């Protein structure tokens, strides 16, 4: 389940974001956290497993007709395609009237998710 970021989740969010190679540098990570908190169209969501533990984070920018995924990260033990798809499915459900897109870095992941989703919808309708 995706949970909107709150200040009291900061350490958890930073820990999950630190799995991204670009954010190994603490100063860069702190700058990114400030960027997400500075404007309402930049948002962080934490992904919570059914057992209640946070094990993922996704950073987005919300536009008029799109949601641009800037970052996503799962803890190493949760890092698998099924969880990746689950996180993106939940994001799409939160913004049903917007298209989920990715930055250049995220585009391959989003593309794979879209292909799987299209296949799933085709299978569901048959």
């Amino acid at each position: 389940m995706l949970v909107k970021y709150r200040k009291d989740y900061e350490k958890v969010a930073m820990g999950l974001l630190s799995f991204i190679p670009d954010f190994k540098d603490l100063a860069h990570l702190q700058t990114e956290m400030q960027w997400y908190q500075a404007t309402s169209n930049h948002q962080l969501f934490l992904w919570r497993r059914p057992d209640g533990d946070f094990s993922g984070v996704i950073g987005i920018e919300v536009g008029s007709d799109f949601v641009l995924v800037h970052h996503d990260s799962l803890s190493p033990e949760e890092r698998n395609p099924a969880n990746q798809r689950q996180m993106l499915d939940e994001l799409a459900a939160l913004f049903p009237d917007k298209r989920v897109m990715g930055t250049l870095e995220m585009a391959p992941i989003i593309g794979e998710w879209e292909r799987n989703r299209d296949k799933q919808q085709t299978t569901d309708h048959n």
Side-chain angles (χ1 to χ4, degrees), residues 17 19-25 28-29 71 105:
L17 283 170
F19 291 121
I20 299 172
D22 284 354
F23 298 138
K24 294 292 183 211
D25 175 51
H28 188 192
L29 177 57
H71 309 101
E105 284 180 5

Side-chain angles (χ1 to χ4, degrees), residues 35-104:
W35 182 76
Y36 279 113
Q37 295 171 43
T39 59
S40 61
N41 66 327
H42 298 120
Q43 298 177 21
L44 273 178
F45 288 90
L46 280 86
W47 187 64
R48 178 180 274 161
R49 298 285 301 150
D51 64 13
D53 289 339
F54 287 120
S55 55
V57 65
I58 191 163
I60 62 169
E61 181 178 343
V62 181
S64 56
D65 59 353
F66 66 88
V67 174
L68 183 65
V69 179
H70 283 270
H71 309 101
D72 80 341
S73 179
L74 288 160
S75 60
E77 61 276 5
E78 299 292 341
R79 200 172 295 150
N80 63 57
N83 286 341
Q84 180 91 54
R85 283 192 299 274
Q86 181 70 34
M87 224 166 43
L88 292 169
D89 286 346
E90 291 176 21
L91 180 67
L94 284 177
F95 298 94
D97 57 335
K98 298 182 187 301
R99 176 156 187 247
V100 175
M101 301 165 54
T103 60
L104 283 175

